[in-house]
Amino acid sequence: MRKKQLEIALQKLAAHPSPSAELEQYMTPGDVAATLLHMAYARGDIARRTICDLGCGTGRLAIGAALLGAKKVIGVDIDPIALKIAARNARRVGANITWIRCDVGKFESSGINTVIQNPPFGVQRRGADMKFLHRALKLAGVVYSLHKATPRNRAFIAKRAKELDVKITDRLELDFRIPRQFEFHTRDTYKFKVDLYRIERGDKNG
Ligand SMILES: C[S@@+](CC[C@H](N)C(=O)[O-])C[C@H]1O[C@@H](n2cnc3c(N)ncnc32)[C@H](O)[C@@H]1O
């Protein structure tokens, strides 16, 4: 599936009817999701691999991985409503995905090759993004993760990668747009930069 086709397919998936600001429940924009998934596909991290989408929300990344030929896909989120919509979205496109309701900090599983995630940026709850990143690196040998592109975040993630002895193989700056959806939003669209990271653990499995 070409990148543009994937972006259009993901864009059509249903959104959360009542997103929570505290859980930072905004969907990954279709173009950003397609860029992450295509990069992962090109690196051999999707096809015939077991993929986990942490904080899967309504399922964009998980469903995209299934459409690109993943062997098995697991989507994890704390919110049952998001998971219900994700399951409906997956059924509509014929994607076979296991949906699990769990706090990311407690999620355990073996045999995952690649984690793909758009974690909360930690704007509402400080450190939420790093909680996701630490869990992702425990679960899989390769992690694709989106983070707000700020000098502070870049320095922090680079420092943590050193401490954890993992390698940032790629960092790609992308535009990220979210529509007005929370009470405190005063503009129609919010535009900012995010960094897409690919991180590898030294003992990368499979
Ligand atoms: C920025 S949204 C990303 C949604 C989805 N991945 C997408 O691409 O559209 C972050 C997601 O993380 C979930 N989340 C936040 N805190 C969580 C936690 N502690 N455990 C599991 N999921 C969590 C939210 O419910 C939300 O769906």
Side-chain angles (χ1 to χ4, degrees):
M1 187 182 260
R2 292 214 317 270
K3 191 172 157 192
K4 196 67 198 174
Q5 277 177 294
L6 180 65
E7 180 182 331
I8 292 166
L10 297 179
Q11 211 89 265
K12 285 185 187 157
L13 298 175
H16 199 299
S18 50
S20 145
E22 199 202 337
L23 292 173
E24 297 191 38
Q25 285 181 323
Y26 42 80
M27 287 173 100
T28 310
D31 57 340
V32 173
T35 298
L36 183 156
L37 288 160
H38 252 258
M39 177 175 164
Y41 180 83
R43 297 298 173 88
D45 295 325
I46 297 271
R48 296 179 298 283
R49 314 304 265 172
T50 296
I51 313 294
C52 180
D53 176 359
L54 290 182
C56 61
T58 51
R60 272 197 175 167
L61 294 176
I63 292 169
L67 294 176
L68 290 178
K71 181 171 78 182
K72 183 175 176 198
V73 184
I74 303 165
V76 178
D77 205 284
I78 202 165
D79 175 21
I81 298 172
L83 289 170
K84 201 170 152 193
I85 294 155
R88 202 183 300 151
N89 277 335
R91 272 196 303 276
R92 276 201 190 129
V93 298
N96 182 18
I97 295 170
T98 303
W99 304 106
I100 299 175
R101 184 184 178 197
C102 188
D103 184 319
V104 150
K106 295 184 184 138
F107 181 65
E108 307 264 6
S109 184
S110 59
I112 294 169
N113 303 113
T114 309
V115 166
I116 50 179
Q117 61 178 10
N118 173 19
F121 289 134
V123 174
Q124 301 297 325
R125 279 182 299 169
R126 221 177 144 82
D129 50 344
M130 292 314 290
K131 174 174 155 175
F132 271 68
L133 193 54
H134 286 150
R135 179 56 51 179
L137 287 164
K138 280 202 173 112
L139 290 166
V142 180
V143 173
Y144 290 80
S145 193
L146 292 162
H147 296 269
K148 250 193 157 174
T150 63
R152 188 180 171 278
N153 262 358
R154 285 180 175 171
F156 191 71
I157 291 171
K159 183 168 163 270
R160 287 304 285 147
K162 244 190 192 156
E163 286 163 4
L164 294 168
D165 196 21
V166 296
K167 188 172 173 204
I168 297 171
T169 60
D170 302 83
R171 192 190 72 203
L172 188 64
E173 191 180 283
L174 301 171
D175 286 322
F176 199 99
R177 284 177 211 85
I178 50 173
R180 179 207 298 259
Q181 63 175 32
F182 299 127
E183 263 175 21
F184 55 84
H185 281 168
T186 54
R187 294 201 301 271
D188 285 344
T189 311
Y190 284 80
K191 189 178 156 192
F192 48 91
K193 300 277 184 196
V194 298
D195 285 327
L196 164 60
Y197 285 88
R198 181 182 183 278
I199 306 179
E200 240 181 53
R201 232 169 46 195
D203 61 337
K204 174 167 157 21
N205 52 2

